[in-house]
Structures are given as structure tokens and as C-alpha cells.
Amino acid sequence: MDPPRRRLPAALVVFLLLLAAASPVARAWKKDEFRNCNQTPFCKRARTRAPHSLDAPLSLAASSLAISPDGSISAELSHPSRPRPLVLRLSALPPHALRLQIDEDYSTATPPHRRFHVPDVLLPDLEARTLHLPEPKTAAGVSTVALSSDLDVVVRHDPFELAVRRAGSGDPVLSFNSHGLFDFEPMRESKPEDDTWEEHFRSHTDKRPRGPQSITFDLSFYGADFVYGLPEHGSTSLALRPTRGPGVEESEPYRLFNLDVFEYLHESPFGLYGSIPFMIGHGGRASSGFFWLNAAEMQIDVLAPGWDGVTDHENGRIDTLWMAEAGVIDAFFFVGSEPKDVIKQYISVTGTPSMPQQFATAYHQCRWNYRDEADVDGVDAGFDEHDIPYDVLWLDIEHTDGKRYFTWDHSAFPNPEEMQRKIADKGRKMVTIVDPHIKRDSSFHLHKEATDKGYYVKDANGNDFDGWCWPGSSSYPDMLNPEIREWWADKFSYENYKGSTPTLYIWNDMNEPSVFNGPEVTMPRDAMHYGDVEHRELHNAYGYYFHMATADGLLKRGEGKDRPFVLSRAFFAGSQRYGAVWTGDNSADWDHLKSSIPMVLTLGLTGLPFSGADIGGFFGNPEPDLLVRWYQVGAFYPFFRGHAHHDTKRREPWLFGERRTAIIREAIHMRYSLLPYFYTLFREASVNGIPVMRPLWLEFPDDKETYNNGEAFMVGPSLLAQGIYEEGQKSVSVYLPGKESWYDLRNGSPYKGSATHKLQVLEDSIPSFQRAGTIVPRKDRFRRSSTQMVNDPYTLVIALNSSGAGEGELYVDDGKSYEYQQGAFIHRRFVFADNKLTSFNIGPDDLGKKFRSDCVIERIIILGLRSGVKKAIIEPGNQELEIESGPISLRSGSSPVAPTIRRPNVCIADSWTIRIA
């Protein structure tokens, strides 16, 4: 007789079904799991409106225009059919940014709920930096205000329209509502008897108890050939493609709605893990930007010429349509003489990126999951055995006790502190994962405390929201509440996070937030947050607040002395202040390798310079040649990490044969040699937001050939690389911009600028070049980790331009603390001109008193130096040195091809000159 079968508890059955649905096979991207515009009422309504067709166009009351004491301009927007007017506020920020704020006027008739203004994203000193606008000049229904010496703001009263124009010529740069599509659905006092506010998608119902509250407007960019931005979506195009209009096949708008998407499409406007509502327009005549601070779902159309039925469409104008489910208008218009100016203005509003620790800029090794301490030891030893450096080993969710974060599975990781100490002895670090879903287990102290304190997000009925994620039944801390963020930050102390050490850092995943049984795998929109805020109003910022609280926790743990490292999957405007992001659950295929470049470039353009894609693809087993090509490209990503799903085959770099191991080793070694250059670029990003990895047009803004090149990219101002994105590719065409030459990084061969070169594809490298007129600092001695390279000497690679000149920078600090904020750093500018290389101090005047390095320069390679030169002289001291032919790199088999000054041994902290005799 068969033994009696035990019936599983109903909750366990549901959980197992949900986990099955979350498997990579079941959870591959399925179109019908996510709403499209036609299934999203606010988007469907807005998209069907023709230009200038609104029944109730808003007008500005001229009599309401007034200058406020803070120097801003206020006015009233109204229409007789509206229950209450809107209040408009215009203010200016240096050097010439315009802020437009529009909300309902609650002084006349107060609805039951007020609209949500997103807090803690804009810098706290923004209002203090507001400029005083002059008195507007009004004539014939138009008011004009000088924004700066060369820009005016022009406001038409009826119907309301706003434009930023060039002073003098009157040429527009940006315009708001020039097509009459501005609509601001008023909050209702109560639901009409004959109306239903509910929305349904699949098995889910959104009761929408506060009714429709969407906002729509058209925005036009003038003098723009292309527009960019709006992460995050998969695309092989750097520029945003049109989504509506003549010549555009049926398409969706670009969706900004943070979602947990398994195996996302490499080419789709659907939203992924993060959202930044910032768009940049660029062309031969103008650079401009637009940022809308709103954390509700957005849909944005890029409209093809003729979308409005006008056949003589103005050349160089790109129209866009912005649609949001809720919120207010808090928008910024940026104008610059070049695109870097626009990025700097955006960063001046949302904050500069955090300066990472040195180790974080090196190579990271991750897998879901390294099984136990023996597995960790074996992987760590494998890197040493195969002479491959790495800095960080990561642990995914299986390291915990039953998916209870801040705990360890003591059968697999019985001695976590000793494990971390052994890794740290080699200068390496570890990272563990901490997600926002807390296991609903009465014996779990974190859940009990959050429940007792009332710290969870509530459902529509006021109970603690209960959703399903990796632990099963889970609840989510309400990170909108500053008190709860502070509580969460305390959990990272050594006392609270048992088994953690100073060399352990954090990874935030699933923080969109992901809810397996929720609508579109996320939290229901009618869930409730601190301050009577619906989830629909802040959804895109939930992960941002979680990232913020985690980074603050590591900052508190280190008593404000240790720079945090926190990687987050979800992001929003301002996330750059708290750490790195990555492109999520990509796939092991060539298309995802190719799309990673526009995705990472777009993140950089929108304020997130510290980003990358999982090397080899998270899902699936990459063929060995794809993995090799991914390492060669990934070595240039700002964030360089290998990662894989637990159902994939192991893919540590030495598992694919000796030849491929050697090529991967060379790619990682190249990254380590360039760490001084990368760290200098991260310093620049932390000061002004200019990204580490850049589209070509950011460095060559007048070169139209670069405007939609999403295959090649710049690393800083000096290096250009282009991946190999097709299997078995034999040749590749590479466009090298600018009038000056470029030098091959492998052998120093020169290539002409402003030309496309057809190159043979090589197995051991991808096309990569140094720009003539630049100087790149390197460290060429290979160690186990970047920490062990701290005292190693430097190499300078000088690529001379047609004038025989070049320049570059080197930034050095202690690589870990905040002492640099008090001037404890070295910052040098190297200039080669008139046959002399000179080191200038561009750091603090009291250099050496706060930070000192005894590192010296052991090699100077000069590409493009005239032949026959044999000697160099160091000044002061008149020390004479030989100039000999040497290799570009120190890898085995490299031939001596470039003039090299060996062992000048000048200190990087000192001022000196080396003269070519």
C-alpha cells in the first residue's frame, strides 16, 4: 500500500506556484503581463487628442501676474469649467535655468486630498540659489521676462503657452504647450454618480479612490537633430526614436514605470527598473534639456515630423508629448552652449554623483549564488591561480537564513566574519544583498519590530501590505517616511547586522518594488504611504528612497568616515548621490551586448555615471566568444561586474580554455592599468556630473556623424572604444571624430580623424584608441587587487596632436574616506608643449600637508614624437635620461614601438618639467 499523501498548506501551494512563475523560463518577458498605453486610461485619453482640440484650454490671467518676495513670478491659470484655478510659479536658477511649477489653488476650494510633491530629490539649497527675475513686460497678451543676458521667457496668456527664446533674435529653444495639449485633470470633491473610477488589468482592480488626476502637455525642442534620455528601456539606438507620426509603425510611448522585468527585450520603449524623466535635445544649433520632477507613471511620445498634420514642419524641431498619471508640474528648462552645460545644470538641481571608493571602480565577481564558504574560498583562489585581479566578491539571496535579510545561512556560512577577513587580507571586499521585502515571520526580529512600530506600507484598507517575493509572504518598509529611513539605516550597524565587517558592502535588488503577485509584478497603485500618499504618486521613487536609506546606513556604520558602496537596481533622479546602478536582468545574447552601450550611455547622460551591465548576460549561457567580447567591452563600463543566474553554468573567467582565459585576463588587466584614469574621471563626475563613459557627441558636439552612434563610445575625453557585437564578425567600421589623429591602444598606430576606418576584427581585443592631444595616466604593475596597487608607480601615455602637444590630469586621494573634501588629495595637470612635459598643481595650495603620496612616474610613452630624439632632461636638477623604443603595454609579446622615457622617477605630487633634448 502506498503511504498516505500529505496535503500541502494552501499558502505554501500559492508560494510554490509564485516561485515557479518567477523562474527564468516562466518569467521571460511576456507582453501581456504589462500594460500598454491603450490599457492605461490616462495615456489612452491623452494620445487620442489632436493639437489645439481641448474643450477647456487654460488661460493665464494677466492681472494675476506678480513678483514674489523671493524673486519668482506667480500667476493664475484658469478656465470657467474648472472647479478651481491653477497656481503657476516661474523662478530662475543660475546660470540660465528656468523652473516652472503648477499646482491646484487650494485656497479657493479644498479637495479631500492634495497633490503629491516629491520630497528629498532636489538639493536642499535650491530655493536659496533662486535668482530674482525682473518685472515682466506685457503687451498684446504676451508677457516677456529676461531669464539671462541672452535668454528670455515668453508667456502667451490665452491660451497659455510658454517658450524660452534667444534674446534679440527671438529664436525659440524650448516651448511648452505650443500645440495646445496641456491638460491638468482637477482633483474631485467626490465621485460622480454616473462615473466609475476603477481600472482593471488582468486579475487586478485599482479602485482609484481619488479619481483621475493626470497631467499632459506637449514640449518642443528647437535646433535639435535628436533627443536623448528617459532611462530605462532596452535599445540599440542612442537617440530616442519617434513613437508616433508619419513613417512610424504602431508603437508605444516611452514608459517610465519601475518594473521587475525578467529577460527584458533589447529593443523596446517599455519601462524597466528605473525612471529618470530627463530629456536632452542636441543638434548643430542648440543643446537643451527638460526635467520633470514627478514620481508617478509617465508615458512620453517622441513625435515624428508631420504628426500634427503640418506638412512644412520646421526643420530642427522635435515635438514630444508628456503624460503622467498623477502629481504636479515641477519642471526645469535647461539651455547650454554645449551639451555638457545642460548636464551640469541638471546636476546642479539633483546633486552631484557620490565619489566611489577606489575598489568599487575595479572588477567585481558575482553569481546567484556562491554556495558556501568553501565555494567562496575556491573562487577567490581561482583568480589568484590564474593571475586575474579582482576586488569584490558578491553573495546573492541564498546566503541568508531563509531570505531573512541581515542574517546568514549558518550551515553554508558558519563563519562570515572570518570569511570576510580572509578576503580582506588580499585587499578585497565582499558585498551582500539586502532587498526591501521583509519576510512576514513572527520569529524574525526585523518583521516584529517593523510591525510593532507601524513601519510598513499599508494596503488600500489600512492594513500592512502583504505581497509575495523571494521569502514568500512579505511586507515593505515605507521608505517615504524619514523616520523609517533612519530606522532602516541603523540596521547596518555591526551590532544589528551580525557577521558584517568594515569590508562588507551592500546590494539593493528588487526595490522597484517587486511584488510577484502584484499588478505588473509591483505594488498596487492604491497602497498607502506616509502622509496620506498613494503608491501611484511615488512609485518611481520608492527604490530611490530605499537606496538612500541603505547608503545612509553604511555612512552611519563608518561614523561618516567611510564612503558607502551600494548598488541599486531601481533608480530615480538623484540616485547618483547614493551609489551605482546596473541595467538589470539582461540575457546572454549578442543583441543584449550591443544594447548595453546605449543603455549605459543614457544613464550617464541623465546623471548616473556609475553604471554597467552584467558581463555575459544574467540569464542563459553565453557562448564562449560572446563572453570574451563582453569582457572586452565591459572593461570600459564604469561599473564592471560579472554576474549570472543560478540556473546557468559556472562562468568564472578561467573555465573556457587557456586561450580565452588569456584574452579575458588581458581585458581585466587593461581595466586595472587604467584605474588611475577612471578614478580621475569619477572625480570629475563627482564635481560636475559629466559622465565617465560618454557618447561621442558629448566630446564632439558639432560632428553630426556622432549624433546617433550607439556602438562606439568615449571613456572620458581621451579614449574611444567600439565593441564587436556580432558572432563571427570579420571586419568592423569605426568612425573616429575630430580633426586630429587617433592612436591604437594596442600598438600605437595612428589613424586619421573625421574618417570611417574599416578594420580587421582581432580575437584578442576590440577597436580602442587614444585621442591625439591627450595624456592618460596608468599603473602597469599587476596585483591581486587595486588596494595592492596603491604604492605602485605610474605610466604616462602622451598622444601628441598635430601641434606636438597634449594634456591630461591625474587625481589621487586615499581612495576610501571623505578627507578629500577637506583638501586631502593630489590633483595634477600634465601639459606637453614645445617639447616639454610639465606637471602643474591644480589641487589645494597646501598640498602635502593633508595628503601625500611618494608614488613616482616610472615610464613616459610618447606617441607621435618625431624620430631621432634620444635624450630628455629633468628640471630642476638637469638629470639626463635616455629615450628608447618601448612597448605600449607590458603584456607578454608586446613589441617596442613607441619612444619611451624609462625611470624618470619624478614624484606625482611635485612640480617638474621634463624637456626633450
Side-chain angles (χ1 to χ4, degrees), residues 604-803:
L605 288 172
T606 53
L608 289 168
F610 201 4
S611 68
D614 286 342
I615 305 299
F618 177 66
F619 286 112
N621 296 303
E623 53 199 85
D625 288 346
L626 171 60
L627 183 63
V628 166
R629 292 304 188 193
W630 215 314
Y631 268 101
Q632 290 171 335
V633 169
F636 292 104
Y637 292 156
F639 176 61
F640 184 25
R641 181 183 76 157
H643 184 36
H645 190 276
H646 64 68
D647 285 341
T648 64
K649 298 175 183 178
R650 295 292 286 256
R651 62 167 85 146
E652 283 72 41
W654 54 86
L655 296 178
F656 298 88
E658 290 185 12
R659 175 60 181 158
R660 293 190 178 95
T661 298
I663 298 173
I664 293 173
R665 179 190 300 116
E666 173 63 22
I668 296 175
H669 275 176
M670 183 202 67
R671 172 55 170 253
Y672 275 74
S673 73
L674 289 171
L675 285 179
Y677 180 63
F678 271 89
Y679 198 66
T680 300
L681 294 175
F682 274 107
R683 166 62 174 179
E684 179 187 13
S686 74
V687 172
N688 59 26
I690 302 303
V692 173
M693 183 170 155
R694 309 169 182 179
L696 304 188
W697 55 262
L698 203 60
E699 291 299 320
F700 300 91
D702 297 326
D703 189 339
K704 291 181 179 292
E705 293 294 321
T706 68
Y707 288 176
N708 197 23
N709 187 335
E711 295 187 2
F713 54 90
M714 299 289 295
V715 177
S718 306
L719 302 182
L720 181 151
Q722 181 167 317
I724 302 300
Y725 307 117
E726 296 178 15
E727 183 179 8
Q729 194 170 347
K730 302 299 183 184
S731 65
V732 59
S733 294
V734 179
Y735 177 72
L736 299 177
K739 297 177 181 179
E740 297 289 346
S741 296
W742 296 79
Y743 296 90
D744 191 308
L745 287 189
R746 295 177 66 254
N747 55 33
S749 297
Y751 289 82
K752 184 181 178 181
S754 293
T756 299
H757 300 270
K758 187 175 183 179
L759 306 175
Q760 179 185 356
V761 169
L762 302 174
E763 179 187 25
D764 62 353
S765 65
I766 60 173
S768 48
F769 306 86
Q770 183 171 340
R771 180 181 180 181
T774 64
I775 300 177
V776 171
R778 298 192 326 213
K779 284 194 173 186
D780 289 343
R781 297 187 184 182
F782 301 122
R783 310 290 187 182
R784 290 178 172 181
S785 65
S786 67
T787 306
Q788 296 185 345
M789 298 167 61
V790 167
N791 296 317
D792 285 348
Y794 288 82
T795 294
L796 295 183
V797 182
I798 305 172
L800 298 180
N801 61 18
S802 57
S803 301

Side-chain angles (χ1 to χ4, degrees), residues 263-275:
E263 294 185 276
Y264 56 83
L265 296 180
H266 74 277
E267 197 76 74
S268 173
F270 282 100
L272 295 178
Y273 311 95
S275 300

Side-chain angles (χ1 to χ4, degrees), residues 37 40 42-43 253-255 297-301 321-323:
C37 181
T40 308
F42 80 87
C43 182
Y254 291 100
R255 188 184 190 195
E297 178 184 356
M298 281 192 201
Q299 305 262 5
I300 299 107
D301 267 321
L321 181 66
W322 297 63
M323 304 161 273

